[in-house]
Amino acid sequence: MKIGVLALQGAFIEHVKMLRRLDVEAVETRLPQHLADLDGLIIPGGESTTIGKLATEYGLIEPLRRFSHCRPTWGTCAGMIFLARDIGIESQPILGSMDITVDRNAFGRQIDSFETELDISGLAGESFHAVFIRAPVVTAVDEGVEVLARLDDGRIVAVRQGRLLATAFHPELTDDLRLHAYFCAIVKETLACG
Ligand code: GLN
C-alpha cells in the first residue's frame, strides 16, 4: 500500500511522518505522473488558495479530480476546502470532488485557532484532540455524505463520502494516529475490492 501526500504547500511532512509511524509507504506528491501508482492521497492543510494556484500551474487539477473520483482521498483543513464541491468563491480553483459545501473562514479572525475534544464516529476509544487553525466548517452535505464529527454547537467538522474523507482540523499535528489508521483502512478496503 502506497499513499501520497500532496506536497505543494502546507503541513505535508507531518502527514508523511504519521503514515510512516503506521508502517505505510508514504511519498511526497508534486507532479501528475506521481499519482500513477498511488493507492490513496492526503491533501494537507495550509493555504487553499496557494494549493489551488500551484496545482493549476503544475497541471494537477484534472489529474487530481480523476484520482479522487476513483481512489481514496483525504483532505485536512485547506485540503477539505480543496476537495469541496462548493466554497462560494467562483475564482478559487478547487477539485469539487465531494458533495459538501464549505465555509472557508468559518471562525473569523477572533477565534483564529483553538483546540477541542471531538467524538468521531468510527474511532474507538477516547475523544480525539482536534487542532483547528483558521479552519473551515462544512455548512451543507448532500445525500451520501456521512457526518463523522460535529463541534458542541453542531457545526460539522469531519465527513466521509465513500472513499473520500475530509476533516476541518489537523490530526497530523497531534500524536493520535487513529484518523490516519482510519484512512489507511479505507485504502485497504478499496484495494481489496480491486
Ligand atoms: N484558512 C485556510 C484556507 O483557506 C486553511 C487553514 C489551514 O489549512 N490550516 O486555506
Side-chain angles (χ1 to χ4, degrees):
M1 180 162 87
K2 186 167 166 181
I3 297 184
V5 181
L6 190 66
L8 300 177
Q9 189 264 341
F12 54 87
I13 291 159
E14 291 78 359
H15 277 295
V16 168
K17 285 185 186 157
M18 294 296 263
L19 291 169
R20 288 186 182 153
R21 280 173 62 194
L22 288 167
D23 282 329
V24 170
E25 187 181 354
V27 289
E28 292 179 14
T29 303
R30 292 189 178 84
L31 295 171
Q33 55 266 38
H34 294 164
L35 295 170
D37 62 345
L38 297 180
D39 303 309
L41 180 74
I42 297 178
I43 303 174
E47 180 52 49
S48 60
T49 50
T50 309
I51 293 173
K53 190 166 170 264
L54 292 172
T56 306
E57 271 170 32
Y58 292 1
L60 270 164
I61 298 283
E62 272 312 315
L64 285 172
R65 268 190 197 132
R66 280 199 298 276
F67 186 94
S68 60
H69 192 68
C70 55
R71 274 177 275 178
T73 307
W74 173 19
T76 58
C77 203
M80 170 192 254
I81 298 167
F82 197 47
L83 272 181
R85 194 189 56 207
D86 184 2
I87 60 170
I89 308 166
E90 292 292 321
S91 56
Q92 183 175 334
I94 51 173
L95 298 181
S97 311
M98 255 184 126
D99 294 325
I100 54 175
T101 303
V102 168
D103 178 8
R104 263 189 74 193
N105 299 305
F107 299 96
R109 288 191 181 177
Q110 269 152 351
I111 323 172
D112 224 25
S113 303
F114 63 97
E115 302 186 12
T116 190
E117 304 301 316
L118 286 180
D119 287 324
I120 302 180
S121 159
L123 290 199
E126 73 254 36
S127 55
F128 196 94
H129 186 75
V131 179
F132 289 81
I133 304 169
R134 292 177 294 108
V137 295
V138 178
T139 53
V141 298
D142 276 10
E143 216 177 296
V145 178
E146 185 189 353
V147 173
L148 299 181
R150 292 177 186 268
L151 293 172
D152 286 343
D153 63 10
R155 287 191 282 181
I156 300 169
V157 291
V159 286
R160 176 175 176 179
Q161 183 176 15
R163 290 162 283 92
L164 304 176
L165 184 64
T167 50
F169 48 94
H170 287 264
E172 78 287 5
L173 299 184
T174 67
D175 251 356
D176 197 331
L177 288 165
R178 283 178 296 166
L179 266 174
H180 286 79
Y182 181 89
F183 180 65
C184 290
I186 297 177
V187 176
K188 241 179 236 159
E189 270 166 35
T190 309
L191 281 172
C193 291

